[in-house]
């Protein structure tokens, strides 16, 4: 595997689901892959294991995808 990334993810809605974030960050190709991916890959949300594709991620949350990287969620709301 390549280098582990650390990336800021900016959202313009109150939250993004874990499945949506995985798709938007090109970790998976389609939303339909989220369930399988989360069953096969360790994902931690705020340092706790989570495999729910519908898990809501809010401003300030961080997601660690094993062997992929660390993603920090930031809201764009109010910054326009």
């Amino acid at each position: 595997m390549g280098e582990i990334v650390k990336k800021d993810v900016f959202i313009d809605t109150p939250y993004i689901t874990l499945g949506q974030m995985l798709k938007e960050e090109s970790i998976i190709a389609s939303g339909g892959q989220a369930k399988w991916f989360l069953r096969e890959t360790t994902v931690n949300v705020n340092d706790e294991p989570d495999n729910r594709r519908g898990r809501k991620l809010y401003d300030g949350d961080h997601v660690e995808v094993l062997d992929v990287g660390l993603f920090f969620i930031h809201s764009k709301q109010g910054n326009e």
Side-chain angles (χ1 to χ4, degrees):
M1 281 259 159
E3 186 176 324
I4 302 298
V5 300
K6 290 185 180 179
K7 185 171 180 189
D8 293 316
V9 177
F10 293 94
I11 58 174
D12 51 13
T13 55
Y15 66 86
I16 187 171
T17 66
L18 182 54
Q20 287 172 319
M21 192 224 59
L22 293 172
K23 183 176 182 288
E24 287 188 15
E25 293 303 312
S26 301
I27 298 167
I28 57 175
S30 71
Q33 292 179 330
K35 189 175 187 178
W36 169 84
F37 181 84
L38 290 167
R39 209 176 333 174
E40 302 292 323
T41 306
T42 300
V43 175
N44 293 315
V45 176
N46 300 328
D47 302 318
E48 296 285 331
D50 203 321
N51 64 357
R52 298 172 293 162
R53 67 181 179 219
R55 166 70 187 259
K56 293 177 181 175
L57 305 172
Y58 295 94
D59 182 49
D61 286 346
H62 62 275
V63 179
E64 180 183 14
V65 182
L66 189 67
D67 295 328
V68 176
L70 190 55
F71 300 86
F72 302 93
I73 310 302
H74 301 285
S75 176
K76 283 196 238 179
Q77 292 187 330
N79 296 338
E80 299 172 12

